[in-house]
Amino acid sequence: MISALMPNFSRADIAFAHGQGAWLFDAHGRRYLDFGAGIATSSLGHGHPHLVKAIAEQAAKVIHVSNLYRVPQAETLAARLVAASFADSVFFCNSGAEANEGLVKAMRKAQSDSGHPERTRIICFEGAFHGRTLAMISATGNPKYLAGFGKPVEGFDHVPFNNLNALRAAITAETAGILVEPIQGEGGIRAADEEFLRGLRAARDEFGLFLGFDEVQTGMGRTGKLFAYQWSDVEPDIMSLAKGIGGGFPMAALLAKEHVARALVPGSHGTTFGGGPLACAAGNAVLDVILADGFLDQMNEIAAYLHAGLKQLVARHGGVFTDVRGKGLLLGLKCAVPNSDAQNEALRQGLLTVAAGENVLRLLPPLVITRADCDEALAMLDKTAQALTMEAAK
Ligand SMILES: *Cc1c(COP(=O)(O)O)cnc(C)c1O
């Protein structure tokens, strides 16, 4: 008989009872080092006092009011995100997929409003991940996610990642914009080349397109800057955020320049839960921590330390791990064994990780990890590699 909880995930047989910092504890008291952070989401780790207090205090005051009224917590958070980014305006919603839906709608509507209703198509990239709604599995384009759900939603074209010639060849009179992850997360921690991003921006300028960045995974400090696009000199017109923005509280945001944002006039787009007082209290608390003086500098130091340790791991265990990818604390180990084997063995050692495309094992610790946490993770990965080497020798 089917489980009461729909069987659409294959879950490890562990349930966590509580957490502290980068650690999670099951009901038997066994502890796990959380280098998955709920898929790059628990950015402040577990039980962060500032986040816990902000959520508890707001919950006691008022949890939900709807967008029929002003929400001061949302106004504050939007102003802070605008001040810290390329954007002029912010729309809050609840998930990465929903933010990307809004991104695509805003691009299409802004094209239509400027006299180009025929420009409805979005160019996306092979290896991308944009979410699980009907439109976003079409934007993602992965046949595995599309199978069984009928004809893909119209309006998405796919070209190889980091290939400007293919991108330019795919632009037609119906192209509204381009949607790209600065670093593909689910796709296997594959970074867009600086040259490629510049080329996207040039194509945007030349053909009157909008450039959209999906920073659902890369944003909110994950790569060592608040947003991954800030490592380059290329700014988007519009950008989606989710995962880490609420420190684990469900929340997402769409940030845009005025020329795109103004297309979403009253009645054109909406959400019941988005931008509520509780989510925005969480978002503000997360920003307090990430934007605090020196926070990202310290995180980058620890990330460099971890990165160096992973390089040594690869040097010692080339038969298991062949390469380190990524930036900041968005890291991937390219595996020579099936990444699911590495993930399962790491779990046995007490380390939580996340598999990704291209046979990569993702390491996405909370942004608040310490050097001591890194040392423990590296030791567990070393044991993981040893166990997998022995397994292979059998
Ligand atoms: C996780 C993810 C999404 C989807 O976010 P959900 O909150 O699961 O809808 C979209 N884009 C990227 C880059 C992601 O990593």
Side-chain angles (χ1 to χ4, degrees):
M1 208 179 73
I2 192 167
S3 53
L5 205 48
M6 272 196 202
N8 58 313
F9 297 104
S10 36
R11 302 167 189 270
D13 187 18
I14 312 174
F16 300 112
H18 65 104
Q20 195 59 54
W23 294 86
L24 281 167
F25 301 82
D26 70 12
H28 314 291
R30 176 158 188 214
R31 61 176 208 158
Y32 294 82
L33 184 50
D34 187 5
F35 267 44
I39 318 185
T41 294
S42 307
S43 42
L44 304 189
H46 305 286
H48 192 288
H50 186 63
L51 179 61
V52 169
K53 183 163 178 274
I55 291 174
E57 286 183 357
Q58 185 57 51
K61 285 183 194 153
V62 62
I63 292 175
H64 175 78
V65 296
S66 90
N67 287 306
L68 297 172
Y69 313 99
R70 287 181 53 189
V71 180
Q73 297 83 353
E75 291 172 9
T76 302
L77 183 55
R80 295 175 78 188
L81 290 169
V82 162
S85 75
F86 72 95
D88 300 317
S89 197
V90 181
F91 167 77
F92 291 113
C93 49
N94 307 283
S95 72
E98 189 189 355
N100 284 331
E101 291 269 346
L103 180 149
V104 169
K105 282 179 73 178
M107 278 188 182
R108 286 187 179 191
K109 181 73 162 37
Q111 289 288 8
S112 177
D113 288 355
S114 64
H116 290 290
E118 76 287 359
R119 292 192 183 173
T120 58
R121 304 192 68 84
I122 312 293
I123 299 180
C124 303
F125 297 93
E126 291 170 9
F129 184 77
H130 299 301
R132 296 291 198 151
T133 59
L134 275 175
M136 286 309 119
I137 55 176
S138 298
T140 295
N142 183 335
K144 270 202 316 212
Y145 301 160
L146 284 160
F149 296 114
K151 260 188 30 199
V153 171
E154 254 305 292
F156 299 97
D157 299 306
H158 292 88
V159 298
F161 192 50
N162 277 331
N163 185 329
L164 274 180
N165 289 335
L167 175 275
R168 293 180 67 91
I171 296 169
T172 71
E174 291 183 5
T175 305
I178 300 166
L179 175 57
V180 67
E181 295 157 80
I183 301 176
Q184 290 188 338
E186 313 292 313
I189 316 292
R190 299 162 76 206
D193 304 332
E194 173 71 23
E195 237 358 69
F196 181 63
L197 291 178
R198 286 204 193 122
L200 297 183
R201 181 75 198 189
R204 169 223 179 260
D205 296 346
E206 189 177 336
F207 296 100
L209 312 177
F210 298 126
L211 181 57
F213 284 172
D214 179 342
E215 290 226 30
V216 166
Q217 190 157 161
T218 56
M220 302 315 293
R222 179 55 52 190
T223 68
K225 289 194 186 277
L226 188 59
F227 307 113
Y229 81 82
Q230 292 168 330
W231 288 106
S232 76
D233 54 16
V234 178
E235 280 186 359
D237 298 287
I238 188 163
M239 173 172 83
S240 54
L241 299 172
K243 293 205 162 82
I245 192 173
F249 196 91
M251 173 170 211
L254 188 57
L255 277 62
K257 285 279 199 199
E258 182 171 2
H259 63 270
V260 181
R262 70 181 174 216
L264 296 185
V265 294
S268 64
H269 192 55
T271 169
T272 298
F273 291 118
L278 190 54
C280 291
N284 275 308
V286 168
L287 260 194
D288 290 343
V289 173
I290 296 181
L291 291 182
D293 248 2
F295 177 84
L296 285 175
D297 291 337
Q298 196 190 336
M299 184 201 120
N300 280 315
E301 273 176 37
I302 290 172
Y305 178 76
L306 177 60
H307 202 274
L310 292 171
K311 278 198 159 156
Q312 290 169 11
L313 177 83
V314 167
R316 275 197 306 276
H317 301 287
V320 177
F321 300 121
T322 58
D323 195 15
V324 189
R325 298 177 173 187
K327 211 164 201 142
L329 294 175
L330 183 68
L331 294 169
L333 283 169
K334 173 92 175 157
C335 299
V337 299
N339 60 355
S340 54
D341 290 0
Q343 184 184 10
N344 290 334
E345 185 54 44
L347 179 62
R348 269 193 287 277
Q349 302 295 339
L351 182 68
L352 307 180
T353 60
V354 187
E358 297 203 328
N359 204 34
V360 163
L361 187 69
R362 264 181 294 177
L363 304 174
L364 312 160
L367 309 185
V368 297
I369 48 159
T370 62
R371 270 171 200 258
D373 295 331
C374 293
D375 288 337
E376 297 213 44
L378 289 165
M380 288 189 240
L381 284 167
D382 208 271
K383 283 189 189 158
T384 299
Q386 284 176 32
L388 291 167
T389 306
M390 287 196 333
E391 192 66 27
K394 266 189 204 159

